[in-house]
Amino acid sequence: MPVYSMTGYASVQQSIPPDGDNNAPSLWRVGLEIRSVNSRFLDLSFKLPEDLRSCEPQLRSLVDNSLKRGKVEVRVLINSEHASSVPVASPRLLQQLGSFQDTVKAWMPAAQPFSVAEVLRLSGSGSIELPENWAENVAALCQQALKTLLDARQREGKRLADMLQDRIKQLRQLADQAEPLIPELVKQQKQRFLERWQEAMALSAGSVSPEAAQDRALTEATSFAIRIDVAEEVTRLRSHLEEISRLLTKGGDIGKRLDFLIQELHREANTLGSKSAALDLTRISVDMKVLIEQMREQVQNIE
């Protein structure tokens, strides 16, 4: 399965003939837009004309069946296809305006009648005459827009997956650099403890036996070596990288699992830095955390 980003945009338009008559000149052009950004869950919002509120449940169901996560906004716009930009005033609306004007003048004889501009303005914000098959047209537009959106999210998802695989490769190279340093660092620390205890023995003028001093030095060196040994952290880090790579290859709804694994990667890199007793390991830890932070920012956009 492909990897999907939660970021995408789709816009489709269609001319709607009156009463579904395909041979009649179109009266309306319907535009449907879907915008999507990242979110922890599927968060839907609809911006529809009042006459289309009845279509919202159907549109919501279509989006629910196609998307898993993301903050999604669905907007429907209606424009007249007449050559003029003058709003179309339905006879019903004109009758309502005339009746309203008569009522006002009955109580306020000095009130001015509606001007043509005012009638046109009220017609533009009022109800419109929609064809009977309106809901079917809007649903078909939504399906078309969702397909376009999914294609865009898939292309963006592939780009994110390729970037993450590249960061995984770099992290593995850093782990390869860290592993040889661990036994050498432990060996150096043991030798350093022995030298210090030998100096202490020389100062003690034989008050402690050489065997006891050496045993104590080795014990202290071993204890310290355990505290600075980061082999387990490197092993777990490699394991997390393998799982992330597997999920990216598998695809599908993987965003939340990737987010958890990125947190685990960051924890191992932090531990490696805190236990580091050499500048080289500290540098590797810092480089790892930079790469992991870059991964975390991109994983936030994966569905």
Coordinates of all heavy atoms in Angstrom, one line a residue, residues 11 27-28 76 78 206 297:
S11 N -9.5 20.6 -6.5 CA -10.6 21.5 -6.9 C -11.2 21.0 -8.2 O -10.5 20.7 -9.1 CB -10.1 22.9 -7.1 OG -11.1 23.8 -7.6
L27 N -27.1 26.9 -16.3 CA -27.4 28.0 -15.5 C -26.3 28.3 -14.5 O -26.1 29.4 -14.1 CB -28.8 27.9 -14.8 CG -30.0 28.0 -15.7 CD1 -31.2 27.8 -14.9 CD2 -30.0 29.4 -16.4
W28 N -25.7 27.2 -13.9 CA -24.8 27.3 -12.8 C -23.5 26.5 -13.0 O -23.5 25.5 -13.7 CB -25.5 26.7 -11.5 CG -26.9 27.3 -11.3 CD1 -28.1 26.6 -11.5 CD2 -27.2 28.5 -10.8 NE1 -29.1 27.4 -11.1 CE2 -28.6 28.6 -10.7 CE3 -26.4 29.6 -10.4 CZ2 -29.2 29.8 -10.2 CZ3 -27.1 30.8 -9.9 CH2 -28.5 30.8 -9.9
V76 N -18.1 24.3 -1.1 CA -18.8 24.3 -2.3 C -19.2 25.7 -2.7 O -19.7 26.4 -1.9 CB -20.1 23.4 -2.2 CG1 -20.9 23.4 -3.5 CG2 -19.7 22.0 -1.9
I78 N -21.1 28.3 -5.8 CA -22.0 28.3 -6.9 C -21.9 29.6 -7.6 O -21.9 30.7 -7.0 CB -23.4 28.1 -6.4 CG1 -23.6 26.9 -5.5 CG2 -24.4 28.0 -7.6 CD1 -24.9 26.7 -4.9
G206 N 52.7 0.6 50.6 CA 52.5 -0.8 50.9 C 51.5 -1.1 52.0 O 51.4 -2.2 52.5
E297 N 9.4 15.9 12.3 CA 8.6 16.9 11.6 C 7.9 16.4 10.4 O 6.7 16.8 10.2 CB 9.6 18.1 11.2 CG 10.2 18.9 12.4 CD 11.1 19.9 11.9 OE1 11.4 20.0 10.7 OE2 11.7 20.6 12.7

